[in-house]
């Protein structure tokens, strides 16, 4: 079974400082990994994904994530945080259903708070 | 590109009535659409997966007669909550996966529908 762990319920960082939101996963076979962001009362916005290739993936709004196979991690990073980055961040891993469809499994989410 | 819309964004209904939520892919064709439910301060729970022109596949514990899903075209899926009760109050989010070779692995999410059953 696929699973995703986001060990931090909340991450606080000052504006201008680097941020990291942690994610580890468990999956059979090669993982497809995703980060999504959710603003209050909104759906999820796609940030970035890792499918194959370069371990460092760059995405929207200056975010990037590093795939580490040995540590089964896919931490989200940004060199300089903005107040507007404050939101709920979800890590997700792609699995496979019995029907053959690919099921996206989400972590529990990490709330990022960026202070001015 | 890859925009998914949902309608309505918010709905309040009386207990016992049915509510229909629409999910549309605006600039791409979606072979597969997904319906999720999100409780306050919790992650997304997959309710069902639907493919255009075929019956939806429901997750364990989700009542298919209560949550009717129709995926009539490559750009539209609907979720109908039948005989809604207060415990059905939640945030419902749909997502779509593109047809063809375009980023088939990526799901694009709608903005969500807040349902409140009185």
């Amino acid at each position: 079974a696929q699973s995703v762990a986001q060990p931090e319920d909340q991450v606080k960082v000052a504006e201008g400082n680097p941020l990291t939101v942690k994610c580890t996963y468990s999956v059979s076979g090669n993982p497809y990994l995703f980060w999504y962001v959710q603003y209050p009362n909104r759906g999820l916005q796609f940030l970035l994904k890792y499918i194959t290739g370069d371990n460092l993936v760059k995405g929207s709004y200056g975010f990037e994530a590093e795939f580490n196979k040995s540590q089964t991690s896919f931490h989200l990073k940004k060199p300089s945080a903005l107040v507007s980055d404050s939101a709920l961040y979800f890590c997700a891993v792609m699995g496979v259903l019995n029907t053959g469809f690919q099921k996206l499994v989400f972590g529990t989410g990490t709330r990022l708070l960026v202070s001015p | 590109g890859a925009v998914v819309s949902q309608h309505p964004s918010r709905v309040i209904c009386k207990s016992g009535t049915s509510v229909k939520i629409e999910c549309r892919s605006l600039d791409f064709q979606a072979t597969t659409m997904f319906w999720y439910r999100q409780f306050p301060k919790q992650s997304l729970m997959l309710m069902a997966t639907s493919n255009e022109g075929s019956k939806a596949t429901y997750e364990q514990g989700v009542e298919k007669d209560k949550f009717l899903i129709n995926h009539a075209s490559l750009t539209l899926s609907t979720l109908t909550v039948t005989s809604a009760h207060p415990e059905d109050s939640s945030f419902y989010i749909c997502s779509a996966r593109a047809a063809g070779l375009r980023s088939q692995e990526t799901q694009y999410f709608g903005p969500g529908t807040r349902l409140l059953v009185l």
Side-chain angles (χ1 to χ4, degrees), chain B residues 12-109:
Chain B
I12 301 173
C13 68
K14 293 182 179 179
S15 185
T17 60
S18 294
V19 174
K20 180 184 283 188
I21 303 170
E22 291 187 349
C23 177
R24 294 180 185 272
S25 56
L26 298 184
D27 54 356
F28 67 99
Q29 292 187 324
T31 46
T32 307
M33 287 185 166
F34 304 85
W35 286 96
Y36 293 84
R37 185 172 177 175
Q38 186 180 29
F39 292 101
K41 298 184 180 180
Q42 293 191 26
S43 188
L44 280 72
M45 181 192 81
L46 179 64
M47 298 174 66
T49 302
S50 73
N51 285 295
E52 184 263 338
S54 62
K55 290 184 178 180
T57 302
Y58 289 81
E59 294 298 300
Q60 193 172 10
V62 178
E63 297 177 60
K64 61 180 180 181
D65 294 330
K66 180 161 188 66
F67 298 100
L68 301 178
I69 291 172
N70 183 276
H71 192 161
S73 76
L74 283 172
T75 59
L76 174 64
S77 177
T78 59
L79 167 68
T80 301
V81 183
T82 61
S83 186
H85 291 284
E87 58 265 29
D88 298 324
S89 299
S90 192
F91 194 51
Y92 293 87
I93 307 176
C94 74
S95 70
R97 205 162 64 192
L101 297 178
R102 176 185 172 183
S103 298
Q104 279 191 328
E105 69 283 342
T106 303
Q107 289 182 30
Y108 297 95
F109 286 79

Side-chain angles (χ1 to χ4, degrees), chain A residues 79-102:
Chain A
S80 179
L82 299 172
V83 173
S84 57
D85 292 330
S86 299
L88 188 57
Y89 290 80
F90 288 99
C91 181
V93 66
M94 183 81 81
V96 179
L97 288 172
N98 291 335
T99 57
F101 299 137
Q102 293 176 323

